[in-house]
Amino acid sequence: MTAPEGRGIAGHDDSDTFRILHVSTGNVCRSPITERLTRHALSDRLGDPLGGGLIVESAGTWGHEGAPMEANAELVLADFGADHTGFVGRELLDEHVIRADLVLTATRDHRAQVISMGHSAGLRTFTLKEFTRLVRAIDPATLPDPRDEGMVERARALVRAAAALRGWLLAPSPDADEVNDPYGAPITFFRSIGDEINQALDPVVTALTGVAARR
């Protein structure tokens, strides 16, 4: 079963939305942090908690279904002023991949697992840091202006442009595209991972929205 451009569930009309799916292992540390920091950044730039049609979710390849995020992950989000409330862990399912327009994973292994699920996921699945590296090489002037064509069209064009660059713009080392797992680590390591994720997200959200972060 394939789903071109991430659209594959009968009865769902998502033409006016763009779904970003963050994937890690347990869906209690890295992907919840990334999900909520993305939402926070979108709200900060757009003044819109719905992100201008951008929907941000997360799941885990060995997800703790129904679990809360780790307490240290909540503390990291609080450091950034991001909301951790109401989070519930999910196991990664086919339907999550089918509906996603962009899948950002913590590691290359997660990326490989998502792609192995099929559903035409290869061209829209990247590690977070890989996508950041590719996005930095894209001239924003070549993307649709969100004021004219909308945020969703800009986001779709960004994914296509990033996919076209993959294979041409390689990582300096295999580990450069990885976000390490802080599960069970002290809060200091969680905070370093939170900073790492936040720095990787900043150019991505700027490219998606066309709006730079407020300093």
Side-chain angles (χ1 to χ4, degrees), residues 36 54 57 108 117 139 162 187 195 206 208:
R36 294 308 177 93
L54 307 184
E57 304 171 314
R108 291 169 296 153
M117 296 171 73
D139 182 354
I187 185 60
D195 288 339
T206 297
L208 284 168

Side-chain angles (χ1 to χ4, degrees), residues 26-28 32 63-70 87-90:
N27 195 215
V28 292
H64 301 299
E65 188 73 28
M69 74 175 76
E70 285 287 294
F87 179 83
V88 178
R90 302 192 305 177

Side-chain angles (χ1 to χ4, degrees), residues 18 20 42 54 102 146 151 154-155 158 203-210:
F18 181 93
I20 303 170
L42 288 171
L54 307 184
L102 172 63
M151 204 76 65
R154 181 184 179 91
L158 181 67
V204 170
V205 177
T206 297
L208 284 168
T209 63

Side-chain angles (χ1 to χ4, degrees), residues 7 14-22 35 38-43 45-46 48-57 101-102 146 150-159 204-211:
R7 306 300 180 189
D14 291 337
S15 58
D16 295 329
T17 61
F18 181 93
R19 288 183 178 271
I20 303 170
L21 177 66
H22 293 295
E35 172 196 314
T38 304
R39 291 186 187 183
H40 181 68
L42 288 171
S43 180
R45 284 165 169 76
L46 304 175
D48 176 7
L50 298 179
L54 307 184
I55 299 172
V56 186
E57 304 171 314
D101 296 281
L102 172 63
M151 204 76 65
V152 170
E153 286 306 313
R154 181 184 179 91
R156 290 175 181 162
L158 181 67
V159 173
V204 170
V205 177
T206 297
L208 284 168
T209 63
V211 180

Side-chain angles (χ1 to χ4, degrees), residues 146-182:
R147 294 168 297 182
D148 298 329
E149 299 185 53
M151 204 76 65
V152 170
E153 286 306 313
R154 181 184 179 91
R156 290 175 181 162
L158 181 67
V159 173
R160 290 194 296 269
L165 281 176
R166 184 159 45 191
W168 294 92
L169 190 63
L170 302 179
S173 69
D175 293 339
D177 285 342
E178 308 268 302
V179 175
N180 292 323
D181 191 355

Side-chain angles (χ1 to χ4, degrees), residues 3 5-7 17-23 34 38 42 54-59 90 92 96-105 111 114 119-132 134-135 152 154-163 166 200-201 203-205 207-208:
E5 297 190 12
R7 306 300 180 189
T17 61
F18 181 93
R19 288 183 178 271
I20 303 170
L21 177 66
H22 293 295
V23 175
T34 315
T38 304
L42 288 171
L54 307 184
I55 299 172
V56 186
E57 304 171 314
S58 65
R90 302 192 305 177
L92 182 66
H96 301 144
V97 176
I98 290 169
R99 296 181 67 180
D101 296 281
L102 172 63
V103 184
L104 297 176
T105 69
R111 182 185 63 194
V114 172
H119 314 303
S120 305
L123 292 177
R124 51 195 165 90
T125 302
F126 310 80
T127 75
L128 170 62
K129 288 187 173 182
E130 174 192 21
F131 194 65
T132 300
L134 297 172
V135 160
V152 170
R154 181 184 179 91
R156 290 175 181 162
L158 181 67
V159 173
R160 290 194 296 269
R166 184 159 45 191
L201 281 173
V204 170
V205 177
L208 284 168

